[in-house]
């Protein structure tokens, strides 16, 4: 935990604060150890993302390797919820492994994760009322691993 925070989010120009959401106590503890002295790191929330609510509004919400552990229904609920945390003009960034095999989505029985196709993810975004502003495949990524894709999402037209 915290790699994306340190390597990406804390490097953003004009950044004032990063809040972290991590339900696993051991990962939250590790994040506090690794990031607790960073002046831009704010609060550490202990809730699961699909249950989290806040009155705080953010310019950017970053979700990485989370939806793979949620059902489609919970993923759509989470995306809708996360979109409600955005300020006007804000952006939701989602980074997930993708599986584009013709046999469909891949279930990893060891960790109960589901690796969906890009098309499947984009269907979930549409169900959540989000539009894709930009899409980019992870570069410099091992061919032995699932592809990783990043989407920049925003609320659709109302």
């Amino acid at each position: 935990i915290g790699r994306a925070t340190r390597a990406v989010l804390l490097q953003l120009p004009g950044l004032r604060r990063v809040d972290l959401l991590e339900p696993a106590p051991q990962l939250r503890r590790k994040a506090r150890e690794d990031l607790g002295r960073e002046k831009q790191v704010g609060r550490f929330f202990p809730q699961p993302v699909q249950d989290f609510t806040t009155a705080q509004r953010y310019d950017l919400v970053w979700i990485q390797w989370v939806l793979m552990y949620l059902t489609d229904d919970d993923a759509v609920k989470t995306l809708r919820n996360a979109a409600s945390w955005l300020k006007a003009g804000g952006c939701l960034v989602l980074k997930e492994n993708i599986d584009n095999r013709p046999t469909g989505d891949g279930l990893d029985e060891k960790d109960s994760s589901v690796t969906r196709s890009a098309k499947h993810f984009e269907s979930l975004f549409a169900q959540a009322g989000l539009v894709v502003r930009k899409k980019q495949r992870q570069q410099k990524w091992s061919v032995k691993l699932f592809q990783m894709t990043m989407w920049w999402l925003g609320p659709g037209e109302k």
Side-chain angles (χ1 to χ4, degrees):
I1 178 124
R3 289 181 309 212
T5 301
R6 183 175 303 288
V8 179
L9 302 178
L10 291 178
Q11 307 307 314
L12 293 172
L15 175 81
R16 290 192 320 256
R17 188 177 84 210
V18 173
D19 291 336
L20 285 91
L21 178 62
E22 176 53 62
Q26 70 277 15
L27 295 177
R28 202 171 47 256
R29 205 170 20 258
K30 176 76 169 128
R32 279 187 194 276
E33 289 170 12
D34 292 350
L35 301 168
R37 289 186 214 97
E38 300 287 344
K39 65 180 179 177
Q40 303 102 321
V41 174
R43 297 171 291 179
F44 291 80
F45 295 105
Q47 294 90 351
V49 68
Q50 65 269 32
D51 298 332
F52 181 70
T53 60
T54 181
Q56 176 72 43
R57 295 296 171 254
Y58 297 93
D59 294 309
L60 173 67
V61 173
W62 184 283
I63 300 175
Q64 180 169 327
W65 288 328
V66 171
L67 297 190
M68 65 196 297
Y69 297 106
L70 301 178
T71 65
D72 283 358
D73 287 344
D74 280 343
V76 170
K77 176 185 172 189
T78 296
L79 291 166
R80 283 184 184 140
N81 196 22
S84 76
W85 309 332
L86 293 172
K87 290 180 181 177
C91 186
L92 171 61
V93 174
L94 180 80
K95 193 171 182 181
E96 293 279 344
N97 294 343
I98 60 167
D99 184 357
N100 285 324
R101 293 181 290 189
T103 56
D105 300 332
L107 173 65
D108 184 333
E109 293 185 13
K110 287 182 184 175
D111 70 358
S112 299
S113 66
V114 176
T115 308
R116 299 169 173 97
S117 68
K119 185 176 179 179
H120 190 148
F121 272 114
E122 290 163 12
S123 168
L124 297 176
F125 305 157
Q127 290 175 55
L130 296 166
V131 295
V132 176
R133 293 181 180 167
K134 184 177 179 179
K135 175 181 172 180
Q136 182 175 325
R137 186 174 158 191
Q138 177 81 33
Q139 301 301 310
K140 298 180 184 178
W141 194 247
S142 173
V143 295
K144 296 178 185 177
L145 301 173
F146 284 113
Q147 291 179 12
M148 191 174 342
T149 297
M150 186 180 323
W151 291 269
W152 287 260
L153 306 169
E157 297 298 320
K158 294 186 179 190

